[in-house]
Amino acid sequence: GRAGRGVLDYYAYCNSKTDEGRAKVRACLEHTVKDNPNDSTAWAYLSWIYGDEYRYAKVKSVNGVPPQQASMQAAEKSVSIDPKNPRAHQYLSIAAVLNKNEDLARQHLKISVSLNPYDSEILADAGWNYAQIGDWEASKPNAEKAIRYNPGHARWYYGALFAYYYEKGNYDEALRYALEYYSPDEFYSSLALAVSYAGTNRLDDAKSVVKAVEKNHPKFLKDPRKSIESLSFQESFIEKLLIGAEAAGFNFPEPNSSDPAHPKR
């Protein structure tokens, strides 16, 4: 039926994120919850799609509210329909991170992992979410377990481990995971690789990644801070990434470049 197709479309979209794919999945899931308003999992996935409308498309509003809020409402609905659904708690914690509600994120991360402690997807998301809220020591074991439990996992599972080692200033390990994580069409993994090369002083390698990003992700260069902020990390980690990006050789727009330059003395 349509519900099943929506979920398959959803997984296809997760593997290759395009605006077109997202629109298709969103329409399908919105139909699904209209036809089956008690489908907890469909609401959870819809929460994620609304989050992506914010993360990738910078959509201003979803059905009249900001996408972060729509994401939260859908996830809360998912949990209220089925409080035992680990997916519901998984996506509520993602929505909580998006809405900068760290306590709520922590609460539902614990529940999602306790309801399904061997689900690699839940563990991988927990690894990410804990990294985003700066809870690094909780992030690492969840990310490592996710990889161990699922040998055929997606590349994004490595992203949290890159972040962990980059935060710790262990750039060799950060690079090791950034290489596993790297996918040229995925902006954050490209940034991760560039800053890791810069951290290990492999500046020629960093430059070639920078060139690829300039070609594949021109939006990033228009407002690098905004792109990096959409990843929902803590301010201190965002600063680290921005410093690394400059070291890697990204040419950032000068703030207020319309001001006349001060003459050099």
Side-chain angles (χ1 to χ4, degrees):
R2 188 157 57 190
R5 198 169 66 241
V7 170
L8 289 176
D9 285 346
Y10 168 83
Y11 278 110
Y13 163 72
C14 286
N15 288 326
S16 171
K17 297 199 168 190
T18 62
D19 291 340
E20 194 187 351
R22 185 172 50 255
K24 192 174 151 192
V25 177
R26 178 180 161 179
C28 187
L29 287 169
E30 284 177 337
H31 273 298
T32 301
V33 297
K34 213 168 155 183
D35 296 345
N36 311 297
N38 290 330
D39 186 336
S40 170
T41 300
W43 280 108
Y45 289 152
L46 194 53
S47 163
W48 168 256
I49 289 292
Y50 289 156
D52 268 7
E53 294 284 32
Y54 165 77
R55 279 181 283 264
Y56 295 101
K58 307 287 180 266
V59 166
K60 293 284 176 280
S61 123
V62 167
N63 310 329
V65 299
Q68 306 92 297
Q69 208 178 318
S71 173
M72 186 65 116
Q73 288 167 351
E76 282 170 338
K77 183 118 178 131
S78 172
V79 169
S80 70
I81 292 165
D82 183 1
K84 290 260 185 295
N85 179 359
R87 291 268 171 260
H89 295 280
Q90 174 189 5
Y91 288 97
L92 182 51
S93 61
I94 293 172
V97 168
L98 199 59
N99 285 277
K100 305 209 180 317
N101 187 336
E102 289 166 22
D103 292 338
L104 190 69
R106 223 174 249 115
Q107 184 191 336
H108 289 280
L109 277 166
K110 287 204 178 87
I111 299 172
S112 69
V113 172
S114 69
L115 283 170
N116 205 343
Y118 297 103
D119 183 309
S120 66
E121 194 108 335
I122 283 176
L123 292 166
D125 267 340
W128 265 92
N129 289 162
Y130 279 124
Q132 288 166 313
I133 63 179
D135 199 334
W136 297 103
E137 301 318 311
S139 168
K140 182 173 178 269
N142 279 291
E144 288 173 338
K145 270 186 210 154
I147 289 166
R148 200 163 62 240
Y149 293 164
N150 181 359
H153 59 78
R155 285 181 175 277
W156 65 265
Y157 280 34
Y158 291 108
L161 290 169
F162 148 75
Y164 174 85
Y165 286 107
Y166 196 77
E167 163 67 20
K168 299 288 176 208
N170 183 339
Y171 300 123
D172 290 323
E173 283 295 284
L175 176 59
R176 194 182 128 206
Y177 287 109
L179 284 163
E180 295 281 9
Y181 175 33
Y182 178 59
S183 160
D185 54 358
E186 216 280 313
F187 155 68
Y188 180 54
S189 77
S190 306
L191 177 69
L193 187 56
V195 300
S196 298
Y197 276 141
T200 52
N201 288 320
R202 290 172 58 176
L203 296 178
D204 289 345
D205 290 320
K207 286 272 187 314
S208 64
V209 179
V210 167
K211 278 207 179 71
V213 172
E214 286 169 349
K215 190 170 136 254
N216 298 332
H217 307 282
K219 251 201 276 191
F220 168 61
L221 296 173
K222 287 201 190 80
D223 191 345
R225 172 176 279 279
K226 198 170 171 193
S227 291
I228 293 176
E229 278 174 350
S230 73
L231 301 165
S232 296
F233 284 102
Q234 304 241 294
E235 187 54 42
S236 61
F237 190 69
I238 289 170
E239 284 304 321
K240 271 200 171 117
L241 289 174
L242 281 165
I243 291 165
E246 288 211 37
F250 283 104
N251 290 314
F252 287 171
E254 285 299 316
N256 308 327
S257 49
S258 56
D259 296 350
H262 295 295
K264 296 261 188 297
R265 296 228 177 273

